[in-house]
Amino acid sequence: METKSVDAGEFRDGQRQQWNRAATGWRKWSELIDESASAISERLVELAGVGPGSRVLDVAAGYGEPSLTAARRTGSEGEVVATDISAEMIAFGRERAAAAGLENIEFVESDAASLRFPEGSFDAALSRWGIIFEPDGEAAAARIRSFLKPGARMAISSWGPPDRVPMLAIPMGTAMQRLEVPPPPPGTPGPLSRPTPEALGGLLEAAGFSDVEVEQAEVSFEWQSAEEFTDFMKEIAPPISAMIAPHPREVQEETWAAITEAIREKAGDDGVVRLTNLVLLAAGRA
């Protein structure tokens, strides 16, 4: 990966603010997200070798996935430590864990680069679409590797290339074209920053993980209308909202309207929007 052209501290501060604001949207849409993405959480838990009694670290856990999935797998004898940069997302994660009756999850507010744990204190590590937002993902992954017992596994996920992830590529591409915003430099942290097996697997390899393997999966989302899709993206996708927000209100409204029309072209005869997106999953051994 090329060197990231961002100031890490400034970038993380922006991330913290954006995801704190997005937490309200994640509360609203969490059921839809869970229905579509639960299989990815299940597979990450499998790839990391989480089992009964495991102690698991979930990095950039957001609203608590795959933390909750892992907590069910570890059982009462195990423990999950869920970390995230956003206090509001962590608060929602706690609520979800309590509602699910899961008492074996500890939530910690922290960015990935600032985590502090004893060496060799975890049996597995996870990150579902999380570590790809870290300004120096390789260094963060190396840090996480030091927290793992020898031979323990870390499993992470990213989205595939833009042409295989219409849920993100269509609104982002429409907004960039409408606002005349150039694409971010290669390697800039974000949802589409690790779009190939080489890029995602390379993150773990550069961090010192061995036996790294990458596989593919698909995630399908469904919205009842193009308008519902746009509301969804406004409320849960900070990278897109942050691109549009600095512009005058009229320009913002025009841009979101353009996104709605671009998505409407993907709707079925019933008006329902169904989009299938490629996901990459990588796992390696500490």
Side-chain angles (χ1 to χ4, degrees):
M1 299 296 294
E2 295 184 19
T3 301
K4 285 73 172 174
S5 56
V6 297
D7 176 271
E10 183 178 327
F11 187 85
R12 292 188 187 102
D13 287 343
Q15 290 277 297
R16 185 177 294 107
Q17 295 170 21
Q18 291 172 19
W19 287 103
N20 277 335
R21 288 193 295 268
T24 300
W26 280 74
R27 288 173 185 269
K28 175 180 175 180
W29 297 101
S30 61
E31 186 174 331
L32 185 154
I33 296 168
D34 284 344
E35 288 176 357
S36 300
S38 61
I40 300 302
S41 290
E42 294 284 355
R43 184 58 179 151
L44 287 171
V45 166
E46 291 174 1
L47 290 171
V50 176
S54 293
R55 188 163 191 259
V56 183
L57 175 64
D58 185 4
V59 179
Y63 74 138
E65 280 297 343
S67 298
L68 272 68
T69 300
R72 294 185 182 97
R73 185 73 60 89
T74 66
S76 59
E77 298 302 311
E79 179 188 12
V80 177
V81 179
T83 71
D84 197 82
I85 197 171
S86 164
E88 294 299 324
M89 293 291 276
I90 283 286
F92 182 35
R94 287 195 184 97
E95 291 176 19
R96 296 180 73 235
L102 295 170
E103 300 180 351
N104 58 339
I105 305 180
E106 176 188 1
F107 289 89
V108 177
E109 180 188 344
S110 175
D111 62 78
S114 302
L115 294 173
R116 301 282 190 278
F117 296 104
E119 290 188 9
S121 56
F122 288 94
D123 300 298
L126 304 162
S127 187
R128 191 185 83 170
W129 299 307
I131 199 169
I132 57 176
F133 284 89
E134 166 58 36
D136 193 344
E138 288 81 0
R143 186 174 191 79
I144 294 161
R145 184 173 61 85
S146 73
F147 306 148
L148 294 174
K149 296 176 181 177
R153 295 181 67 81
M154 181 174 188
I156 63 178
S157 69
S158 72
W159 296 104
D163 64 340
R164 299 290 304 278
V165 189
M167 179 180 74
L168 296 174
I170 292 174
M172 291 179 77
T174 301
M176 285 191 291
Q177 183 177 16
R178 187 96 185 172
L179 302 173
E180 298 183 346
V181 175
T188 300
L192 298 173
S193 62
R194 307 277 178 165
T196 65
E198 294 77 16
L200 187 65
L203 188 159
L204 293 179
E205 290 171 348
F209 286 89
S210 61
D211 302 327
V212 174
E213 295 185 356
V214 182
E215 62 183 54
Q216 298 183 356
E218 289 186 338
V219 170
S220 295
F221 284 79
E222 182 176 301
W223 302 267
Q224 293 308 301
S225 66
E227 287 77 10
E228 184 178 74
F229 170 88
T230 299
D231 288 342
F232 175 83
M233 297 308 295
K234 275 184 182 179
E235 295 169 358
I236 68 101
I240 297 172
S241 298
M243 186 193 315
I244 298 172
H247 296 271
R249 179 172 295 276
E250 181 179 341
V251 175
Q252 293 183 43
E253 292 174 353
E254 290 173 352
T255 303
W256 286 114
I259 289 171
T260 302
E261 293 312 308
I263 286 296
R264 199 183 308 281
E265 296 178 6
K266 300 293 184 181
D269 293 340
D270 56 0
V272 175
V273 177
R274 301 176 181 87
L275 299 177
T276 298
N277 307 274
L278 182 68
V279 179
L280 302 177
L281 304 95
R285 192 177 304 280

